[in-house]
Amino acid sequence: RVVDALATLPERDREALLLREAGFAHREIAEALGTTTGAVGTVLARALRRAAALLRAALPDAREAL
Protein backbone atom coordinates (compact mmCIF):
# COMPACT_ATOMS: atom_id res chain seq x y z
CA ARG A 1 0.00 0.00 0.00
CA VAL A 2 2.88 2.34 0.70
CA VAL A 3 4.31 1.70 -2.76
CA ASP A 4 0.90 2.40 -4.29
CA ALA A 5 0.57 5.62 -2.28
CA LEU A 6 4.03 6.75 -3.38
CA ALA A 7 3.21 5.98 -6.99
CA THR A 8 0.21 8.31 -6.91
CA LEU A 9 2.15 11.26 -5.48
CA PRO A 10 3.44 13.94 -7.81
CA GLU A 11 6.95 13.06 -9.01
CA ARG A 12 8.61 15.86 -7.06
CA ASP A 13 6.97 14.79 -3.79
CA ARG A 14 7.84 11.15 -4.36
CA GLU A 15 11.45 11.95 -5.17
CA ALA A 16 11.81 14.20 -2.13
CA LEU A 17 10.46 11.52 0.20
CA LEU A 18 12.61 8.79 -1.28
CA LEU A 19 15.75 10.93 -1.09
CA ARG A 20 15.00 11.82 2.52
CA GLU A 21 14.43 8.18 3.41
CA ALA A 22 17.73 7.31 1.73
CA GLY A 23 19.49 9.72 4.09
CA PHE A 24 20.25 12.60 1.77
CA ALA A 25 20.77 16.05 3.30
CA HIS A 26 18.44 18.93 2.49
CA ARG A 27 21.19 20.46 0.35
CA GLU A 28 21.41 17.29 -1.74
CA ILE A 29 17.64 17.02 -2.05
CA ALA A 30 17.50 20.67 -3.15
CA GLU A 31 20.07 19.98 -5.88
CA ALA A 32 18.17 16.93 -7.11
CA LEU A 33 14.86 18.81 -7.18
CA GLY A 34 16.30 22.00 -8.62
CA THR A 35 15.13 24.12 -5.69
CA THR A 36 16.55 25.87 -2.64
CA THR A 37 17.41 24.24 0.65
CA GLY A 38 14.80 26.48 2.27
CA ALA A 39 12.07 25.03 0.05
CA VAL A 40 12.98 21.41 0.80
CA GLY A 41 11.27 21.46 4.20
CA THR A 42 8.07 22.72 2.62
CA VAL A 43 8.22 20.12 -0.16
CA LEU A 44 8.79 17.33 2.37
CA ALA A 45 6.02 18.49 4.69
CA ARG A 46 3.54 18.68 1.81
CA ALA A 47 4.62 15.28 0.50
CA LEU A 48 4.24 13.69 3.93
CA ARG A 49 0.74 15.17 4.34
CA ARG A 50 -0.29 13.86 0.93
CA ALA A 51 1.19 10.41 1.59
CA ALA A 52 -0.50 10.20 4.99
CA ALA A 53 -3.86 11.14 3.47
CA LEU A 54 -3.48 8.47 0.81
CA LEU A 55 -2.56 5.84 3.38
CA ARG A 56 -5.45 6.84 5.67
CA ALA A 57 -7.82 6.34 2.74
CA ALA A 58 -6.27 2.95 1.95
CA LEU A 59 -6.20 1.80 5.58
CA PRO A 60 -9.38 3.11 7.23
CA ASP A 61 -8.77 1.03 10.38
CA ALA A 62 -5.35 2.62 10.87
CA ARG A 63 -6.58 6.24 11.01
CA GLU A 64 -5.34 6.67 14.59
CA ALA A 65 -1.80 5.56 13.72
CA LEU A 66 -1.32 8.07 10.90
Side-chain angles (χ1 to χ4, degrees):
R1 291 185 178 142
V2 172
V3 172
D4 291 341
L6 284 173
T8 63
L9 290 175
E11 183 178 346
R12 183 177 184 177
D13 290 356
R14 181 175 51 254
E15 186 174 359
L17 289 176
L18 292 174
L19 289 169
R20 178 179 172 243
E21 182 61 26
F24 286 87
H26 278 216
R27 178 186 49 78
E28 296 166 311
I29 296 171
E31 280 182 32
L33 298 180
T35 192
T36 65
T37 55
V40 170
T42 301
V43 171
L44 287 170
R46 182 185 61 229
L48 286 169
R49 277 194 312 272
R50 287 179 176 163
L54 290 166
L55 289 170
R56 274 193 299 273
L59 304 167
D61 295 335
R63 288 180 195 264
E64 302 299 319
L66 299 173

